[in-house]
């Protein structure tokens, strides 16, 4: 079962959040660059947290797939290239 844990937080690099995959918590950051890309897709002037909330399901889905694929990094950084 996959689930998301912990509340997201604004960080210098973007928005920090945690996903749980297979009973393992993994700290992740969706970069400001990725959030800016997503914001442009929506066509709005949202701040980073609002953009994160708007795309939260998609962001968490990408994060989980990267964890399952064995992508390294602590925290796992999700850049704009993952959302093209």
């Amino acid at each position: 079962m996959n689930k998301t844990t912990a509340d997201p937080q604004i960080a210098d690099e973007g928005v920090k959040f945690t996903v749980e995959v297979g009973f393992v918590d993994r700290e992740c950051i969706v970069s400001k660059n990725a959030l800016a890309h997503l914001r442009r897709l929506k066509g709005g002037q949202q701040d980073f947290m609002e953009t994160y909330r708007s795309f939260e399901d998609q962001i968490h889905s990408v994060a989980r797939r990267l964890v399952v694929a064995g992508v390294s990094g602590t925290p796992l950084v999700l850049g704009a290239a993952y959302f093209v």
Side-chain angles (χ1 to χ4, degrees):
M1 178 176 162
N2 296 335
K3 70 174 186 171
T4 303
T5 59
D7 289 331
Q9 301 173 356
I10 296 288
D12 291 338
E13 303 87 6
V15 175
K16 185 166 76 169
F17 62 99
T18 304
V19 293
E20 182 182 308
V21 180
F23 303 107
V24 176
D25 287 342
R26 185 75 183 270
E27 191 174 300
C28 305
I29 291 181
V30 59
S31 71
K32 288 182 178 179
N33 189 31
L35 291 166
H37 171 73
L38 293 170
R39 181 175 53 207
R40 284 191 298 275
L41 292 177
K42 190 163 180 122
Q45 295 299 317
Q46 298 175 322
D47 67 24
F48 289 127
M49 187 57 80
E50 290 171 331
T51 302
Y52 171 84
R53 291 289 187 199
S54 294
F55 290 92
E56 188 169 9
D57 290 340
Q58 183 179 355
I59 291 167
H60 290 192
S61 176
V62 168
R64 287 186 190 102
R65 282 184 269 144
L66 293 174
V67 170
V68 169
V71 176
S72 62
T74 304
L76 177 62
V77 178
L78 285 67
Y82 292 117
F83 300 98
V84 178

